[in-house]
Amino acid sequence: MDSVDRTSVTPSKSRLARTIAKVFHIRAVTGVAPVDGNQKTKSYERVKVVDDVSYTNSESFDEDNEKLRLRAATDAFLARLFASMSTVKAGYAQLQFAQSPYDADGIQAADQMVVSELKNLSELKQCYLKNQLDDSSPGKTQMLAELQEQKSLLKTYEIMGKKLDSQLKLKNSEITFLQEKLADANRENKLIEKRLNSSGLLSVPDTLHLSSLGPNHFVTVLRQTVKYIRTFVRLMINEMELAGWDLDAAASAIEPGVKYWNANHRCFAFESFVCREMFDGFNYPYFSPGKGSLPEQPKLKQLFFNRFTELKCMKTREYLARKPKSSLGKFCTSKYLSVVHPKMESSLFGNLSQRNVVKSGEHPETTFFATFSEMAKRVWLLHCLAFSLEPQASIFQVANKCRFSEVYMESVCEEPFLPSGGTMEPAVAFTVIPGFKIGRTVVQCQVYLS
């Protein structure tokens, strides 16, 4: 029997193997696999995982929404709270403003506002304690609350502005009243000063005793002396201008090399000259060293105090007419001849007749000499008072171009005239009014600064 070829009857093993491999490959690609008779796909498993994640995200989203809602409600509650407090503050400010001046209607309206807002605050407190915050429309609630707060603040500022305006009006009325009082006091002082000047008396108490003398009395007399010095200097300058004098040249002759910040400051040079001549020898009892014998110190003080007391109550012209050879008369004669140069007198008055009368020991009754004698009397009284004090007052002046010191000096100008932006310290050009020392007390000298 002929043999049969097996490949022609039964499929070959290799072909079957290839077929099975293809089936498994398809299952692997489609995700179909036999598990206990049930088939599960990979796509189903993926959908299940996505659903789990979506469920978790939904819970987190709801939780965040609840937090945001609670926070918005809290913010709205706080806005209402602060708005109500601002309203209470505005009502209290209105209540205060309505009390002065008294306004019954304003007080009642402010009281109702405050009571109403206190009730509102009480309701807000109860809502907070019961955790019943209004969360229906927190954005709108917060906006309305902020608007209410701004209105309350604006009202408070308006009330404060009205209050400040009323205070300003009150202060202005007080200033006007004080200015009127000051003007009345100045007029009264001028009348008193005019009466004192016309009478030739000093504003020193009549009951003044030697034991009660002090630096303050000396300063009072010094101030009046300076006033009379400046009165005489003004009269002298006026006479020089009428006579056609070159005042710049005259001032330069007195204080050479000084540059004045103002043309009117030339008068300080003439004041310096008059003071220098009038106070020359001030530290000596008789304005000159070795002139006459001196009594013992207690008697010397009493002597000068008696002269001061006698002379301060008398008019200068009457005293000189009655006692032309007195110490004051001799002082006036010597100082007039020293201050008024013959050339000056001849230029001012056209002759030397007045000078000749003074030289003879008499005192002419002219306006020029009368003004001079009033000044001389004040210097003489100041000198008598200086030797009546314990310790005795002494005179001093500072050298030109020395450094300015606020302890010993004061400027005759209201402000120091210094170059703008300069760092140089002011220097003394010359002394105008001398200074004085009374023990440890210093009466500043007046200087002109360069």
Side-chain angles (χ1 to χ4, degrees):
M1 182 174 182
D2 297 333
S3 61
V4 178
D5 190 357
R6 297 178 62 183
T7 60
S8 61
V9 180
T10 306
S12 63
K13 187 182 294 185
S14 60
R15 184 180 298 176
L16 180 61
R18 285 197 299 271
T19 303
I20 293 172
K22 288 180 179 180
V23 171
F24 282 127
H25 177 70
I26 292 171
R27 287 180 176 177
V29 172
T30 56
V32 179
V35 180
D36 294 334
N38 296 325
Q39 292 183 347
K40 295 182 180 179
T41 62
K42 290 183 179 180
S43 59
Y44 172 77
E45 291 176 355
R46 188 178 298 111
V47 169
K48 182 178 180 181
V49 171
V50 171
D51 289 342
D52 291 341
V53 173
S54 299
Y55 180 76
T56 303
N57 289 341
S58 176
E59 288 183 350
S60 177
F61 181 75
D62 292 341
E63 203 173 298
D64 291 342
N65 281 345
E66 180 66 19
K67 290 181 180 179
L68 291 174
R69 184 184 61 79
L70 181 60
R71 182 173 180 177
T74 304
D75 290 344
F77 173 81
L78 291 176
R80 290 179 61 191
L81 179 64
F82 284 112
S84 184
M85 292 174 64
S86 297
T87 305
V88 172
K89 183 178 178 181
Y92 183 70
Q94 182 178 348
L95 184 64
Q96 282 186 321
F97 181 74
Q99 290 177 352
S100 179
Y102 186 78
D103 182 7
D105 295 336
I107 291 176
Q108 185 176 2
D111 182 67
Q112 291 177 355
M113 181 190 301
V114 172
V115 171
S116 175
E117 287 303 322
L118 289 177
K119 290 181 180 179
N120 188 27
L121 284 172
S122 179
E123 293 176 359
L124 290 175
K125 176 183 176 182
Q126 295 300 322
C127 292
Y128 178 78
L129 294 176
K130 296 178 182 179
N131 199 15
Q132 296 177 351
L133 303 183
D134 184 12
D135 58 353
S136 57
S137 55
K140 181 179 179 181
T141 302
Q142 186 172 358
M143 186 178 299
L144 292 175
E146 290 177 356
L147 181 61
Q148 179 185 351
E149 183 177 5
Q150 294 299 324
K151 287 182 177 179
S152 300
L153 289 175
L154 181 61
K155 188 171 185 178
T156 303
Y157 291 146
E158 288 177 354
I159 294 172
M160 289 176 63
K162 292 179 181 178
K163 188 174 182 180
L164 291 175
D165 287 339
S166 63
Q167 290 178 354
L168 179 61
K169 292 179 181 178
L170 179 62
K171 292 296 182 183
N172 287 335
S173 62
E174 290 178 357
I175 290 172
T176 303
F177 175 71
L178 292 175
Q179 286 177 343
E180 292 176 354
K181 286 187 66 177
L182 179 61
D184 293 339
N186 288 335
R187 284 192 293 268
E188 186 176 353
N189 289 337
K190 287 181 179 179
L191 290 175
I192 295 173
E193 185 177 359
K194 187 176 181 179
R195 288 197 297 267
L196 287 173
N197 292 339
S198 61
S199 63
L201 304 179
L202 289 174
S203 58
V204 178
D206 294 334
T207 58
L208 185 65
H209 298 286
L210 181 62
S211 58
S212 61
L213 280 180
N216 55 326
H217 299 106
F218 184 85
V219 172
T220 301
V221 178
L222 174 61
R223 288 175 179 171
Q224 295 181 358
T225 304
V226 172
K227 287 182 180 179
Y228 278 91
I229 289 174
R230 287 175 174 162
T231 300
F232 173 74
V233 169
R234 284 196 296 269
L235 176 61
M236 185 176 68
I237 292 175
N238 290 338
E239 294 290 344
M240 294 170 69
E241 288 179 338
L242 292 175
W245 278 56
D246 186 348
L247 296 181
D248 290 330
S252 298
I254 297 171
E255 297 293 343
V258 176
K259 294 183 179 180
Y260 298 97
W261 298 97
N262 191 318
N264 295 328
H265 293 172
R266 297 172 304 186
C267 65
F268 296 128
F270 297 102
E271 286 184 21
S272 174
F273 168 74
V274 172
C275 287
R276 191 159 57 239
E277 296 298 329
M278 294 300 298
F279 287 101
D280 184 34
F282 187 89
N283 286 334
Y284 299 106
Y286 301 106
F287 277 92
S288 179
K291 185 179 179 181
S293 60
L294 298 176
E296 295 179 0
Q297 192 68 15
K299 292 183 179 180
L300 181 66
K301 293 184 182 300
Q302 188 65 50
L303 172 65
F304 279 102
F305 181 72
N306 291 340
R307 288 180 178 179
F308 174 81
T309 305
E310 177 190 10
L311 187 57
K312 77 180 182 68
C313 299
M314 298 187 67
K315 294 182 179 181
T316 307
R317 180 173 295 180
E318 294 178 359
Y319 185 85
L320 291 177
R322 194 177 66 179
K323 297 181 178 181
K325 303 298 182 180
S326 63
S327 299
L328 176 60
K330 294 178 181 179
F331 178 75
C332 287
T333 299
S334 63
K335 291 300 181 182
Y336 180 85
L337 299 176
S338 175
V339 172
V340 183
H341 193 271
K343 291 183 178 180
M344 175 189 290
E345 187 170 349
S346 178
S347 173
L348 298 181
F349 308 114
N351 54 61
L352 297 177
S353 59
Q354 183 171 251
R355 187 179 190 86
N356 294 330
V357 172
V358 174
K359 275 186 177 182
S360 66
E362 299 297 328
H363 303 98
E365 296 182 0
T366 61
T367 303
F368 188 83
F369 186 82
T371 306
F372 175 86
S373 62
E374 291 290 346
M375 173 188 67
K377 173 187 173 182
R378 267 64 186 185
V379 175
W380 180 254
L381 284 173
L382 187 68
H383 177 263
C384 291
L385 194 60
F387 279 86
S388 303
L389 291 170
E390 180 62 41
Q392 180 179 304
S394 60
I395 193 171
F396 73 91
Q397 64 178 11
V398 296
N400 297 355
K401 298 183 180 179
C402 71
R403 186 171 60 87
F404 178 77
S405 171
E406 292 184 353
V407 178
Y408 296 97
M409 314 169 203
E410 64 175 347
S411 174
V412 289
C413 302
E414 294 182 357
E415 298 179 357
F417 294 87
L418 299 177
S420 59
T423 58
M424 296 174 55
E425 294 184 357
V428 176
F430 56 89
T431 301
V432 181
I433 307 294
F436 298 87
K437 292 181 181 179
I438 310 170
R440 294 185 177 182
T441 303
V442 176
V443 182
Q444 297 167 310
C445 63
Q446 297 183 18
V447 298
Y448 188 79
L449 300 179
S450 61

